[in-house]
């Protein structure tokens, strides 16, 4: 293994799968294979990951997955993500297909029942951020709380290659708070996408002012006597939800994934990989890999 500092690319597998599916499903381009199974999401996920690996040049790669719609957060709050529609029938068979294809590529895959992909990503960050540089590819801004000097987050923006890239310094400049304080900020404003309300009546401007002044949600609560009457009443009336919203917003970084750094090394693709992709009708992926191989060979010459 090289003595160069490792660079781990962490892929939010479900985020890329959903993004790829909806990018083509709107035009009914489901790309059925010979078995009549849609492949548009799977092919988009694989192509997106391959392109990210080319762009960011990692030495290691991990893909993190949700393992079902129910997690420990649903036990904490019944309304968590309850407003999300059921997956489209054309997407349902692609969940297993995507993970199987990712494994066939030789990438290290993580999925733990009861945990979200975000929690696995956070656990990988906590495990390796002192020993490696990490780039997280996702469309989920919740992950911004994981930013650190060695951690960059590339939010999907357009196509397979255009990203909105965040470092810790950029986040602080843009948001006016630290990445960790982003959790407290969301505890106040809630998250309509995830279905938890935060503190009713406390909007982004007030939440930011409170966080910038007192640092954390707990310190705001400890300083209620210093707030305006309106702010104090709103927080007191929603105190339990404030604490619950912070718990729901916090990425759990304590999952024991039990692997060595070597297990994340990116392998060379072999005949088994090619055969798996061909047998499942993932032809766009094969074409991209062949093109990348030709480019690499020309550079080598």
């Amino acid at each position: 293994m090289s003595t160069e500092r490792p660079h781990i690319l962490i892929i939010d597998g479900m985020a890329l799968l959903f993004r790829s599916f909806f990018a083509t499903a709107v035009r009914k381009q489901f790309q059925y294979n010979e078995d009549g199974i849609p492949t548009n999401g799977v092919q988009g996920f694989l192509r997106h990951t391959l392109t990210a690996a080319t762009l960011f040049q990692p030495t290691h790669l991990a893909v993190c997955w949700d393992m079902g719609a129910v997690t420990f957060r649903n036990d904490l709050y019944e309304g968590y993500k309850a407003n999300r529609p059921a997956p489209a029938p054309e997407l349902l068979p692609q969940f297993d297909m995507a993970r199987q294809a990712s494994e066939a590529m030789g990438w290290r895959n993580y999925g733990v029942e009861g945990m979200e992909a975000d929690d696995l990503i956070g656990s990988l960050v906590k495990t390796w951020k002192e020993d490696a540089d990490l780039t997280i590819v996702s469309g989920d801004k919740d992950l911004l709380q994981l930013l650190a000097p060695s951690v960059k987050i590339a939010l999907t923006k357009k196509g397979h290659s255009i990203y909105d890239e965040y470092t810790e310094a950029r986040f602080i400049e843009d948001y006016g708070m630290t990445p960790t304080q982003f959790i407290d900020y969301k505890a106040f404003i809630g998250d309509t996408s995830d279905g938890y309300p935060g503190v009713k009546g406390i909007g982004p401007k007030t939440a930011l002012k409170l966080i910038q002044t007192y640092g954390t949600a707990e310190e705001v609560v400890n300083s209620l006597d210093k707030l305006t009457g309106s702010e104090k009443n709103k927080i007191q009336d929603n105190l339990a939800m404030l604490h619950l919203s912070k718990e729901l917003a916090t990425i759990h970084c304590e999952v024991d994934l039990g692997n060595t750094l070597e297990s994340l090394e990116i392998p060379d693709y072999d005949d088994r990989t090619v055969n798996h992709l061909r047998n499942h009708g993932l032809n766009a992926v094969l074409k991209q890999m062949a093109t990348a191989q030709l480019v690499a060979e020309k550079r080598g010459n």
Side-chain angles (χ1 to χ4, degrees):
M1 187 173 161
S2 171
T3 57
E4 179 184 354
R5 183 173 169 87
H7 179 193
I8 306 172
L9 179 64
I10 303 179
I11 301 293
D12 184 344
M14 203 64 74
L16 294 193
L17 179 65
F18 271 88
R19 177 183 176 84
S20 299
F21 175 80
F22 287 111
T24 49
V26 68
R27 299 186 299 276
K28 306 296 183 182
Q29 296 177 343
F30 296 116
Q31 301 172 21
Y32 294 93
N33 63 17
E34 291 183 356
D35 296 322
I37 300 173
T39 66
N40 60 322
V42 178
Q43 300 213 66
F45 152 69
L46 292 172
R47 296 184 66 197
H48 209 140
T49 302
L50 287 167
T51 301
T54 299
L55 286 172
F56 297 114
Q57 292 292 297
T59 56
H60 300 69
L61 192 152
V63 185
C64 295
W65 300 95
D66 295 336
M67 298 298 288
V70 178
T71 71
F72 75 94
R73 291 179 178 86
N74 297 96
D75 295 330
L76 294 173
Y77 182 54
E78 187 177 355
Y80 185 72
K81 293 188 177 181
N83 56 348
R84 297 195 177 185
E90 293 86 358
L91 178 58
L92 287 174
Q94 298 191 58
F95 292 129
D96 288 341
M97 185 189 294
R99 179 159 182 175
Q100 291 163 6
S102 185
E103 291 171 348
M105 298 294 290
W107 302 332
R108 186 68 180 85
N109 290 264
Y110 294 96
V112 176
E113 294 286 345
M115 308 301 294
E116 294 184 43
D118 286 7
D119 302 310
L120 309 184
I121 292 170
S123 298
L124 286 171
V125 167
K126 183 177 181 181
T127 299
W128 300 116
K129 66 180 180 180
E130 301 301 326
D131 303 307
D133 295 319
L134 299 101
T135 299
I136 301 167
V137 170
S138 178
D140 186 355
K141 289 187 177 181
D142 290 348
L143 293 165
L144 292 170
Q145 65 185 263
L146 299 176
L147 286 165
S150 62
V151 181
K152 178 172 68 175
I153 296 178
L155 295 173
T156 52
K157 190 173 181 181
K158 184 179 179 181
H160 293 160
S161 60
I162 307 298
Y163 293 95
D164 192 11
E165 296 181 29
Y166 272 90
T167 61
E168 182 181 41
R170 183 196 164 188
F171 178 88
I172 293 171
E173 181 177 351
D174 286 2
Y175 280 74
M177 66 184 98
T178 67
T180 301
Q181 288 175 323
F182 190 47
I183 303 169
D184 299 273
Y185 173 77
K186 291 197 66 178
F188 280 106
I189 69 168
D191 189 319
T192 54
S193 175
D194 287 343
Y196 59 89
V199 177
K200 186 177 180 180
I202 298 288
K205 288 185 179 180
T206 301
L208 179 59
K209 180 195 73 173
L210 293 172
I211 295 304
Q212 288 177 332
T213 303
Y214 300 103
T216 67
E218 290 78 10
E219 283 305 310
V220 172
V221 172
N222 291 337
S223 306
L224 287 178
D225 58 327
K226 300 177 183 178
L227 306 185
T228 68
S230 175
E231 292 166 350
K232 179 179 179 180
N233 290 336
K234 289 172 183 175
I235 293 171
Q236 286 182 324
D237 290 346
N238 295 274
L239 194 57
M241 183 53 70
L242 172 65
H243 292 307
L244 177 58
S245 293
K246 181 167 181 177
E247 191 170 2
L248 293 171
T250 302
I251 292 176
H252 183 82
C253 298
E254 306 297 332
V255 183
D256 182 7
L257 299 175
N259 288 107
T260 62
L261 189 58
E262 288 74 14
S263 69
L264 304 182
E265 290 181 357
I266 301 175
D268 293 327
Y269 308 118
D270 54 23
D271 290 342
R272 174 179 167 273
T273 301
V274 173
N275 289 336
H276 181 95
L277 298 176
R278 184 177 292 121
N279 291 339
H280 289 80
L282 304 174
N283 299 318
V285 183
L286 287 168
K287 184 177 180 180
Q288 180 168 335
M289 292 172 64
T291 300
Q293 180 68 26
L294 287 173
V295 171
E297 290 173 357
K298 287 181 180 179
R299 285 177 179 169
N301 293 333

